[in-house]
Amino acid sequence: MKMNPWTLSVLLLLAGPLGADPDWHVEYPDSFCVVEGSTATIPCSFTHPMVKEAITAPPAGLRVERVVWCANLEFCWHPVYNGYDSNSVLTSSRFLYLGDLVGNCTLNITKMLKRDAATYRFRIETNGVGWTGPNGVRVNVTDGEDVKVRSSVTDNVVKEGGQVTLTCTSACSFHQLDVHWYRNGHALSETGPALHLSHLTNGDTGNYTCSLDSSGQKTSSPWSLVVVEDEGFHRSVHLVVAVVKGVVLAVLLLLLAGVVLAKRCSNKTNEI
Ligand SMILES: *[C@@H]1O[C@H](CO)[C@@H](O)[C@H](O)[C@H]1NC(C)=O
Ligand SMILES: *[C@@H]1O[C@H](CO)[C@@H](O)[C@H](O)[C@H]1NC(C)=O
């Protein structure tokens, strides 16, 4: 019996979602958390038996014709507006496909909106068959209301010369997020989820805040640091200074005595 391509593709479409063919596979995280207004890069990779064949034996006549990321749909069959569709010019320019047609399906979503929160699935179609990754990625969008500064020390008062590590936390995990730090409202050059302060001096005293984007919105409430003089440290510094002063004074006195002695000697020689 000769099967026409349409029947074949329908059969394969039915087989796909049942997971009957282990060669069809999309790998993406179960969930992904993004701060409103920031950019999300959702890592994704896929394997596809037809694509493999097409690479190893190009004249096989199979081509990847469409890649799709759809929101809250089980199969991404129809033209997609909320997501990415290589066949549609109507999709939002905020959805960028960073992947390729052979195994990388990474998706970039810029300026995340609250309404972008959805379960996204990836679909690939060749001129024969198509397949959609069944699980999808649950994308959550947080407004950053819960941004907090946490500190490695329980007390806000730290001795001079000591160290403290501040971390910026929120409901979202922080990989790939743009974290900025401020002391008394002034931006620090350090970026990233953790701020490590060591060799503390009085100049580090102040109110620290972090924000999840460079615009300074989604800013945490302040965490105040007070750096105090270390009494023991100062006592030993004073001791060293006193000893050095004493030695210098003694050397000067000796030199003076030497000069006076030499003068007397030379006076005596002159008298002779
Ligand atoms: C997929 O493409 C993205 C964007 O170009 C890249 O950052 C990532 O490393 C690629 N992933 C793999 C597994 O090659
Ligand atoms: C830090 O904040 C506290 C109250 O929140 C305020 O009393 C203090 O003056 C602030 N310190 C600086 C250096 O702005």
Side-chain angles (χ1 to χ4, degrees), residues 182-204:
Y182 306 85
R183 176 170 52 234
N184 300 330
H186 300 290
L188 301 177
S189 55
E190 292 90 341
T191 55
L195 175 68
H196 187 67
L197 301 166
S198 56
H199 309 295
L200 288 173
T201 67
N202 193 262
D204 294 310

Side-chain angles (χ1 to χ4, degrees), residues 240-258:
V240 169
V241 169
V243 167
V244 168
K245 272 184 185 164
V247 168
V248 168
L249 202 64
V251 168
L252 280 177
L253 283 175
L254 275 175
L255 278 176
L256 201 64

Side-chain angles (χ1 to χ4, degrees), residues 9-218:
S9 88
V10 166
L11 284 178
L12 280 166
L13 278 174
L14 291 175
L18 295 175
D21 188 342
D23 277 341
W24 298 79
H25 185 68
V26 179
E27 186 76 43
Y28 31 42
D30 292 337
S31 67
F32 206 85
C33 187
V34 194
V35 178
E36 195 180 358
S38 69
T39 296
T41 302
I42 302 169
C44 172
S45 61
F46 65 93
T47 54
H48 183 303
M50 298 303 168
V51 173
K52 270 191 218 152
E53 255 171 52
I55 294 165
T56 50
L62 281 165
R63 295 181 308 274
V64 173
E65 294 196 325
R66 183 182 176 217
V67 284
V68 193
W69 273 93
C70 65
N72 296 334
L73 296 172
E74 206 169 340
F75 296 114
C76 315
W77 277 335
H78 303 294
V80 164
Y81 306 107
N82 191 14
Y84 174 84
D85 187 340
S86 63
N87 273 13
S88 169
V89 290
L90 296 173
T91 59
S92 162
S93 59
R94 292 187 302 108
F95 290 79
L96 278 173
Y97 187 67
L98 300 182
D100 51 35
L101 302 178
V102 291
N104 190 335
C105 40
T106 301
L107 179 72
N108 201 57
I109 312 175
T110 57
K111 302 192 186 88
M112 286 300 286
L113 304 174
K114 267 277 170 75
R115 64 173 158 86
D116 293 331
T119 295
Y120 290 86
R121 289 186 180 82
F122 176 69
R123 176 176 177 80
I124 185 163
E125 284 178 10
T126 69
N127 50 339
V129 287
W131 190 74
T132 309
N135 296 330
V137 190
R138 170 81 220 154
V139 174
N140 298 308
V141 183
T142 170
D143 57 12
E145 284 298 309
D146 56 343
V147 188
K148 279 195 188 74
V149 173
R150 283 187 199 288
S151 134
S152 59
V153 292
T154 48
D155 198 359
N156 293 51
V157 180
V158 182
K159 279 184 182 167
E160 236 176 25
Q163 56 180 332
V164 58
T165 300
L166 303 180
T167 16
C168 196
T169 65
S170 89
C172 270
S173 60
F174 272 98
H175 53 273
Q176 309 171 38
L177 288 188
D178 202 15
V179 178
H180 294 257
W181 290 94
Y182 306 85
R183 176 170 52 234
N184 300 330
H186 300 290
L188 301 177
S189 55
E190 292 90 341
T191 55
L195 175 68
H196 187 67
L197 301 166
S198 56
H199 309 295
L200 288 173
T201 67
N202 193 262
D204 294 310
T205 293
N207 294 325
Y208 287 82
T209 49
C210 63
S211 80
L212 302 184
D213 55 7
S214 49
S215 71
Q217 287 164 0
K218 331 285 184 214

